[in-house]
Amino acid sequence: NELNMSLQGENTNILILYDKIHAFIKKINLWKSSVKNDIFVMFSSTYDFITENNLDNITIKKSIIDHLSSIEKKKKKYFLSDLNTEQFIWIQQPLIVEMAQVKHLTLSAQEEFAEFSCDSNLKIEFSKQTLNGFWLRQKTKYPILAELAMDILLPFATTYLCEVAFSVM
């Protein structure tokens, strides 16, 4: 439920959502490891039920691990496609990225990034805006980079905004 709620909202994009799903999968692996070691505290109701009823941990452990593995598999299938977030680090953290990290961009985009990376006024702008807002404001000064960034940031990452619009109607 917490993951589901964190995936909704106005200022999300595919990169933020990818990070959240990836973090959730890491938690699943942590939980599986804990359950294997007879630690159930992350599932407080299950833990209470096991201790109150003196149940056999072996059967319950297998069920929990199987269920967590199933969730992990489905999350990877539906959410973690072939997206290589490392190639988009320049979008999320544009002011700390080195030129070597933008080698995959076109030559004109790399040239523009060279100018962009030396623009000291951008540090102030970046800290005062959302990621989408920041890149939208760069459209006139750095059109190639802004266009590339917006191609990644603007597409609907979830159906949240559509659902909100339908709810209003």
Side-chain angles (χ1 to χ4, degrees):
N1 288 339
E2 289 175 23
L3 174 64
N4 183 31
M5 294 304 293
S6 74
L7 297 177
Q8 301 176 35
E10 293 181 18
N11 290 317
T12 62
N13 60 61
I14 192 70
L15 303 175
I16 292 170
L17 300 181
Y18 180 90
D19 289 345
K20 289 181 180 186
I21 296 292
H22 193 70
F24 185 71
I25 288 173
K26 283 186 174 185
K27 286 181 183 180
I28 287 174
N29 287 313
L30 175 66
W31 296 336
K32 287 192 308 188
S33 176
S34 296
V35 169
K36 286 177 185 174
N37 293 317
D38 293 323
I39 300 170
F40 298 93
V41 292
M42 64 288 211
F43 306 115
S44 57
S45 297
T46 305
Y47 176 74
D48 293 343
F49 184 77
I50 291 169
T51 55
E52 288 171 9
N53 296 298
N54 294 323
L55 296 175
D56 175 29
N57 285 356
I58 297 171
T59 307
I60 293 171
K61 279 173 37 174
K62 183 179 178 346
S63 295
I64 291 173
I65 291 169
D66 289 348
H67 182 68
L68 290 172
S69 295
S70 173
I71 292 171
E72 177 184 10
K73 183 178 178 183
K74 287 179 182 176
K75 294 292 182 215
K76 284 180 177 178
K77 178 181 177 184
Y78 291 109
F79 294 106
L80 298 183
S81 62
D82 296 334
L83 182 66
N84 178 6
T85 57
E86 286 300 313
Q87 69 179 341
F88 303 122
I89 195 73
W90 67 271
I91 296 172
Q92 290 180 294
Q93 300 173 358
L95 305 172
I96 61 171
V97 170
E98 300 294 325
M99 288 299 294
Q101 293 172 285
V102 295
K103 292 282 187 206
H104 62 282
L105 300 178
T106 64
L107 181 59
S108 56
Q110 289 180 52
E111 289 171 349
E112 195 170 274
F113 188 81
E115 292 176 31
F116 176 91
S117 65
C118 294
D119 190 338
S120 58
N121 293 324
L122 293 178
K123 290 179 183 175
I124 297 167
E125 278 186 57
F126 187 74
S127 65
K128 293 182 179 180
Q129 302 170 32
T130 64
L131 191 59
N132 293 358
F134 172 78
W135 282 110
L136 281 171
R137 295 195 194 292
Q138 304 314 311
K139 186 76 173 146
T140 54
K141 197 168 182 182
Y142 303 104
I144 298 169
L145 292 176
E147 186 72 29
L148 291 170
M150 296 317 304
D151 284 348
I152 299 302
L153 297 174
L154 280 185
F156 290 116
T158 68
T159 60
Y160 173 78
L161 293 176
C162 296
E163 291 170 14
V164 168
F166 284 123
S167 294
V168 169
M169 291 176 70

